Amino acid sequence: ERGELQLSLAKENFLYIESAENYVVIWYLKNNLIRKQMIRNTMQRMTQLLQGTSVMRCHRSYLVNMDQVKVLRREKEGFFVEMGVSGVPDLPVSKTYSDSILKWLSM
């Protein structure tokens, strides 16, 4: 938020970002273990910073690294993305973002 670097990750270790009011929680892998780092920033700002990368908004509360997505699953409640990493929950895909997620996966 203040232009200070608080966390630097290799793209292949980054999993997803979760909204937490005026903070975001960045979920990533370190030595094959799931880690998280909370930083003061907004989802809107993170979306802008990551525009043009493989990180996409899938829900108002989540940004997901599409390179980590293994499965897009449709259920009666809607779409979910699976990462294929043990301990990482399936993330919801809202109707607002489902078209862009489907388009990415069909490339």
Side-chain angles (χ1 to χ4, degrees):
E1 182 177 65
R2 291 180 239 148
E4 297 174 11
L5 180 65
Q6 293 185 352
L7 180 66
S8 179
L9 295 172
K11 182 180 169 181
E12 60 271 7
N13 293 329
F14 170 65
L15 298 170
Y16 66 97
I17 297 175
E18 180 178 12
S19 174
E21 295 184 16
N22 289 330
Y23 291 83
V24 293
V25 180
I26 301 173
W27 294 85
Y28 62 97
L29 295 173
K30 181 177 180 182
N31 299 325
N32 292 323
L33 297 173
I34 301 168
R35 304 281 187 202
K36 66 180 179 177
Q37 175 74 40
M38 182 178 274
I39 60 173
R40 184 167 174 81
N41 218 321
T42 63
M43 287 298 275
Q44 182 177 0
R45 179 74 177 129
M46 294 303 291
T47 301
Q48 292 169 348
L49 288 171
L50 296 167
Q51 191 172 8
T53 69
S54 61
V55 179
M56 296 182 67
R57 192 90 177 244
C58 66
H59 187 274
R60 69 186 200 106
S61 299
Y62 297 101
L63 284 164
V64 64
N65 181 357
M66 294 302 292
D67 291 337
Q68 294 283 357
V69 172
K70 304 297 182 213
V71 174
L72 176 66
R73 188 179 74 245
R74 183 178 192 155
E75 294 184 0
K76 64 182 176 183
E77 300 89 23
F79 289 102
F80 293 86
V81 291
E82 296 178 23
M83 302 224 175
V85 177
S86 180
V88 175
D90 298 344
L91 302 178
V93 178
S94 66
K95 290 180 183 181
T96 305
Y97 302 105
S98 62
D99 286 343
S100 59
I101 297 293
L102 287 167
K103 184 178 178 182
W104 173 274
L105 291 172
S106 65
M107 294 173 108

